[in-house]
Amino acid sequence: MHHFTETILKTCDIKTRYGIMNLIEKCLLSIGQNNTLMMHRLIQKMGRFVVHQESPDKPWRQSQLWCHEESFKVLKQKSSNMNINLKIDVLSNMDNLLLLQLNYVNVQGSYENFSKELRMLCMYGFPSKYIPSDLVMNNLVALDMSYSNIKSSINVDRHPKLENREKLIRSCAKDKRFIGSLKILNLIFCEQLRSLVGFVEFPALEILIATNCNELVEVCESVQIRVELVYIDLRYYNKLEKLTMGMLNKVKTLLLDGCNLGESRIEIRDK
């Protein structure tokens, strides 16, 4: 969805409201299926050539890297395997790193060493069971861990069962991993995902996507206190047993196609 692109680019201080429309009018961009932004391959190739010419022989001086070979040359990693080992320490000095895509990479080390300026982090095939507990990013707005081994959005063992919403909020507010800036969470095709919990850790969340997660059985009630949510996509869950929503005043899109909701309670209230 092009709204996702706009959300990310705005946090990079790039004005998009009129820029994207101008590019569409000039046929440099188009809107494809599922409201996605599309670019002609020749235009994409030309743009990448221009960036490459910034420093052809020294890729670390280029403003963008998308070629795997050059990326790992910069990171001083050499591997011919699909699953690549990467030490997070090599990213710690990249203070201007805003957009990072590490698909099917085995990341080693503390996530506290990630650049604090990151706006988008994409990690397809993430091997761990939970979103890392030391992922502290005050500026992160988009987190994509699709096709991963995640079983739960947070490690529920770290949070004792709490009696009410207020205690839950106070508990998570003390957590070092509280990602207060996150607006987009994408967990599609996480085939081991069983529960979406701990939404109080994402107070700014606007877009939640978790489709085709065949093992998902529970969406925690804490989702209903995320009043900033405008887009929720929870399609194709045959095993979903618990879904309770309320007070989602800003929700414009709620997709539940293919879900077996049973006695789940869905309630979108007006202010």
Side-chain angles (χ1 to χ4, degrees):
M1 294 177 61
H2 68 81
H3 177 69
F4 304 171
T5 304
E6 292 179 5
T7 300
I8 295 169
L9 291 179
K10 284 179 181 178
T11 63
C12 298
D13 296 324
I14 299 175
K15 296 181 180 180
T16 60
R17 183 174 183 181
Y18 299 107
I20 289 179
M21 293 307 301
N22 287 337
L23 292 174
I24 291 175
E25 291 174 359
K26 295 177 181 178
C27 298
L28 297 176
L29 283 179
S30 61
I31 299 179
Q33 292 183 345
N34 298 321
N35 206 24
T36 55
L37 283 176
M38 306 292 293
M39 179 183 293
H40 195 283
R41 287 187 178 274
L42 288 177
I43 298 175
Q44 184 185 71
K45 186 175 181 179
M46 180 184 67
R48 289 180 172 180
F49 175 78
V50 171
V51 172
H52 186 265
Q53 291 304 110
E54 293 175 351
S55 181
D57 300 324
K58 298 179 180 179
W60 56 89
R61 292 185 176 179
Q62 298 174 19
S63 59
Q64 301 176 36
L65 288 173
W66 58 87
C67 174
H68 291 169
E69 290 79 7
E70 288 192 345
S71 297
F72 282 94
K73 181 179 179 181
V74 171
L75 298 174
K76 297 181 180 179
Q77 300 292 314
K78 295 181 180 180
S79 175
S80 59
N81 299 322
M82 181 62 178
N83 292 319
I84 301 172
N85 295 321
L86 174 67
K87 293 184 178 180
I88 296 181
D89 291 347
V90 300
L91 302 172
S92 59
N93 294 325
M94 298 183 180
D95 297 332
N96 296 321
L97 188 62
L98 299 178
L99 310 175
L100 179 61
Q101 184 171 338
L102 294 173
N103 292 347
Y104 303 99
V105 173
N106 294 322
V107 179
Q108 300 173 349
S110 172
Y111 289 88
E112 292 180 352
N113 292 328
F114 265 72
S115 170
K116 299 300 186 294
E117 296 302 318
L118 269 182
R119 302 305 198 268
M120 184 198 76
L121 176 60
C122 179
M123 300 180 73
Y124 282 14
F126 185 70
S128 299
K129 297 179 181 179
Y130 317 103
I131 296 175
S133 60
D134 54 354
L135 189 61
V136 183
M137 296 184 180
N138 295 330
N139 295 303
L140 190 70
V141 297
L143 179 61
D144 190 342
M145 290 187 169
S146 301
Y147 304 95
S148 297
N149 294 327
I150 290 177
K151 291 187 176 181
S152 177
S153 48
I154 67 170
N155 187 346
V156 292
D157 294 335
R158 296 171 58 248
H159 298 278
K161 187 174 181 181
L162 302 172
E163 296 178 355
N164 54 53
R165 170 180 136 181
E166 287 74 23
K167 287 185 178 180
L168 185 59
I169 293 174
R170 287 197 298 270
S171 173
C172 291
K174 297 177 182 178
D175 195 325
K176 293 181 179 180
R177 196 183 59 81
F178 192 93
I179 308 178
S181 59
L182 192 69
K183 294 185 178 183
I184 302 171
L185 179 59
N186 193 346
L187 299 172
I188 68 170
F189 281 102
C190 290
E191 296 183 351
Q192 298 185 45
L193 182 67
R194 292 187 56 82
S195 61
L196 287 169
V197 297
F199 287 97
V200 289
E201 299 207 20
F202 314 120
L205 192 65
E206 297 179 2
I207 299 170
L208 172 63
I209 308 174
T211 63
N212 292 283
C213 301
N214 296 327
E215 296 299 317
L216 186 71
V217 296
E218 176 187 7
V219 177
C220 177
E221 292 184 7
S222 63
V223 69
Q224 64 186 325
I225 64 173
R226 290 282 58 84
V227 296
E228 298 300 321
L229 274 169
V230 296
Y231 183 96
I232 303 174
D233 189 347
L234 299 174
R235 289 175 293 172
Y236 309 120
Y237 293 135
N238 295 325
K239 298 181 180 181
L240 189 61
E241 299 173 354
K242 183 178 181 182
L243 175 62
T244 302
M245 295 184 180
M247 299 304 293
L248 298 176
N249 301 320
K250 296 184 180 181
V251 169
K252 296 181 180 179
T253 303
L254 175 61
L255 302 176
L256 297 172
D257 307 48
C259 290
N260 181 15
L261 297 178
E263 298 181 357
S264 297
R265 181 171 64 89
I266 303 175
E267 181 179 351
I268 310 297
R269 303 178 186 175
D270 295 328
K271 291 182 180 180

